[in-house]
Structure formats: C-alpha cells, structure tokens
C-alpha cells in the first residue's frame, strides 16, 4: 500500500511545472439610496445595481500552458442587490432577455492567450466601443452621475441596440502590450438563418475595433462599431483622453452615432468633460456632458454631476453623488427611476456603500 502511494505521489510530482491553474472568485456589492425627481414627480428607491461600481459576482480561471501560452475563462454576472435578481442579457443581440435568476450577462468567455501574440476570446463580452465610455467617465458609468445617462440616453441611436455595452456570440482578439499600445477587435453574430424573412439574416451582427495608448500618466483611445439591423445599421464612434496630474486626473470624451436608411433624427453627437480630484483617502468625481441630435427642432440635453467617494479600506467605500440633467427642444432624458418628461430637468442624489472582493 505504501509503495502504491509512493508511486502515485511520484506521478503527481511528474506533472510538468507549467500545468498550473487557478480559479478566483471576485465581485462588487454596491447598493445606493437614490432620490430622483422630474416633471413634478419624485421617487425614493434602493438601487442595488450600484451607484459607484456595478454590482457583480464572477469567477475567473487561468491555466499556464507553458512557453508563454495560457488558457482562461471569465464568468461575470450582474446583480441587483435590492431584489436579489440577475441582470438583463441578450441571446441574439436583437432583443433583451429580462432579468430573473442569475445569468452571466456581463461576460462569459473562454480564451487562449500568448504574451507575444495576444488573446483570442470567445463568448459574450464587452464591445470595443463600450470601453471608452467607461474608462473616460469620472463616475465609471455607474449611478446618478453616469455618462451613460447622456451618451446612451434616448437621443442616442446606440440606445436602440443590444450591443451598446456587450455582444453575445462574439469572437474577439486583443493585442499584446506593444510599448504602451493596446487594441481590441470583435465580431459578433445574431445567428439568423440565411433564409430569414424580410432581410433580417444579418440582424444582431456586430463588428467593432478599438486602438489606444497608455503609460503612467496618459491614456488615449478611439473606437468604432457597427450593429446590423434590417431597419437600418447603427454605427457609433467615440474617442477618449485622460492624463494624470498627480492628485488631479482630467478626462475628455467625444462621441457620435447614427442610424442608416432612416429619416432625421438619425444622428446624435456630444462630449464629456470631467475629472477626478484625489483628496486624502477619497476623491471627488466631477463631469459635464452634452448631447444633441439632428431633429428639425434640435433636441439637446446636458448633465452636470458632482460626487465624493471615501475609501474606508482598500475594499470598502461610502459615497454620494448629486446630478442634474437638463432637457430642451423636446428632449426627455432621465437618469432613471422616473419616465422622462420632455423639457423637464431630472435631478438625482445617491448615497451608498460599495464593497469589493
């Protein structure tokens, strides 16, 4: 018996050193009390999706294959802490699947990577055009001050597609680090039959790319994406820039999108100016963003947001945000909680707690 155990132990030790793997559980639990008002109505709610970071639970695994190669996976689900439900997803990039139980709606990918050649990634993943939206937003696209309230609000054509943030059925490629340059390309499929009716065989197909440069201070990137729809393809282009000046990190974001083969309003454009100001154990995020479309009477909206995040530890923070969205020309953008009212201002205040692990 001892001899058999010795042989088994020797066999285990004989496994090549590179055949090592690890699995990590990670997540963010963020919940905020929010008061919102617009057009004479108001609401108080607990927003369990997150006011500082988006609530999530995930699993990440890697295996070292040797010679600079590795295999990996990520399963990442959105959470609504106030109700215990999962996040909305889309199986075909055309229609949304309502949130109910846990779904890995944020990301579910398997990948093969090389330090020299880059990474091939398959599954549901964040689109290249999404990254500029969140990286160059002082609020990280979360809560009352999120840039998504403007950039992907009702005036934006990209708000009409399921690929604004993520795409299912995707094949993606990420460049290796090349002296500070980085990049991503993605093609996602709506998975329609070739004989689909009414010219819908390409519906839900997405193609996009992003290229950027980052060092210790500077980060700059530009991205472009197109989603195919029988009712008219939707394209979006955005660019972002940030520069660290010690305790101050200013940010700039430009964006434009359009929907083909439809009459005006079929195009929108805008910008965001913002910064993060580090003070002691916390920081102040501040942003001003603006959007307009090409309707006969131009619709406009702008958002001014100011917040404060105080880090109780490396993993836990408390925060507050105050935001106001102004509408004109018939625009009816809202930061959530209340249906948009034309030409009425939306006001929102967040007070919340965020814990990451």
């Amino acid at each position: 018996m001892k001899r058999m155990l010795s042989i088994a132990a020797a066999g285990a030790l004989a496994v090549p050193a590179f055949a090592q793997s690890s699995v990590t559980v990670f997540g963010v639990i963020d919940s905020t009390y929010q008061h919102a008002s617009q057009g004479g109505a108001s609401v108080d709610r607990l927003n369990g999706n997150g006011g500082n970071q988006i609530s999530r639970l995930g699993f990440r695994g890697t295996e070292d294959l040797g010679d600079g190669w590795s295999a990996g996976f990520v399963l990442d689900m959105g959470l609504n802490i106030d109700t215990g439900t999962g996040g909305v997803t889309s199986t075909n990039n055309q229609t949304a699947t309502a949130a109910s139980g846990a779904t890995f709606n944020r990301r579910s990918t398997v990948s093969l990577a090389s330090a020299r050649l880059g990474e091939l990634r398959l599954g549901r993943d964040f689109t290249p055009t999404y990254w500029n939206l969140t990286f160059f937003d002082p609020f990280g696209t979360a809560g009352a001050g999120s840039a998504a309230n403007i950039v992907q609000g009702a005036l934006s054509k990209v708000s009409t597609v399921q690929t604004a943030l993520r795409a299912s059925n995707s094949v993606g490629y990420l460049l290796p680090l090349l002296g500070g340059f980085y990049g991503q390309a993605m093609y996602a499929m709506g998975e329609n039959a070739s004989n689909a009716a009414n010219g819908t065989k390409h519906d839900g197909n997405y193609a996009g790319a992003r290229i950027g440069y980052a060092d210790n201070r500077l980060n700059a990137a530009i991205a472009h994406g197109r989603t195919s729809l029988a009712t008219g393809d939707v394209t979006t282009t955005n660019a972002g820039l940030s520069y660290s000046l010690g305790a101050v990190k200013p940010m700039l974001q430009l964006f434009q999108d359009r929907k083909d083969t439809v009459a005006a309003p079929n195009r929108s454009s805008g910008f965001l100016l913002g910064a993060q100001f580090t003070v002691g154990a916390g920081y102040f995020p501040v942003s001003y963003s603006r959007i307009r479309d090409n309707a006969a009477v131009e619709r406009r909206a702008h958002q001014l947001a100011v917040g404060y995040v105080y880090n109780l530890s490396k993993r836990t923070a408390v925060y507050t945000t105050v935001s106001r969205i102004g509408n004109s020309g018939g625009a009816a953008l809202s930061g959530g909680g209340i249906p948009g009212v034309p030409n009425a201002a939306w006001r929102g205040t967040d007070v919340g707690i965020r814990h990451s692990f």
Side-chain angles (χ1 to χ4, degrees), residues 80-167:
N80 297 300
I81 303 305
D82 52 333
T83 61
T85 58
V88 176
T89 188
S90 176
T91 59
N92 59 8
N93 302 325
Q94 299 160 61
T95 57
T97 302
S100 55
T103 57
F104 294 107
N105 63 306
R106 288 176 52 83
R107 178 178 165 188
S108 54
T109 61
V110 62
S111 60
L112 189 64
S114 163
R116 298 185 299 271
L117 300 177
E119 179 183 354
L120 177 67
R121 189 181 291 178
L122 308 178
R124 178 171 172 83
D125 200 1
F126 295 93
T127 57
T129 41
Y130 162 78
W131 288 116
N132 285 348
L133 173 61
T134 191
F135 277 149
F136 303 108
D137 176 7
F139 292 89
T141 58
S146 170
N149 296 338
I150 295 294
V151 182
Q152 295 184 343
L155 297 187
S156 169
K157 300 300 110 178
V158 76
S159 67
T160 65
V161 297
Q162 295 297 317
T163 54
L165 272 67
R166 306 172 186 90

Side-chain angles (χ1 to χ4, degrees), residues 93-94 127-130 133 147-166 206-207 223-229 232-238 253 255-260 265-269 291-293:
N93 302 325
Q94 299 160 61
T127 57
T129 41
Y130 162 78
L133 173 61
N149 296 338
I150 295 294
V151 182
Q152 295 184 343
L155 297 187
S156 169
K157 300 300 110 178
V158 76
S159 67
T160 65
V161 297
Q162 295 297 317
T163 54
L165 272 67
R166 306 172 186 90
Y206 170 89
H224 178 79
R226 174 183 291 269
T227 303
S228 298
L229 296 171
D233 291 358
V234 174
T235 60
T236 182
T237 303
N238 56 33
Q253 189 176 147
F255 57 90
Q256 181 180 76
D257 57 24
R258 71 175 188 272
K259 185 165 185 175
D260 296 341
N266 60 359
R267 186 175 67 252
S268 63
S269 60
I291 189 172
R292 62 180 183 179
D293 69 6

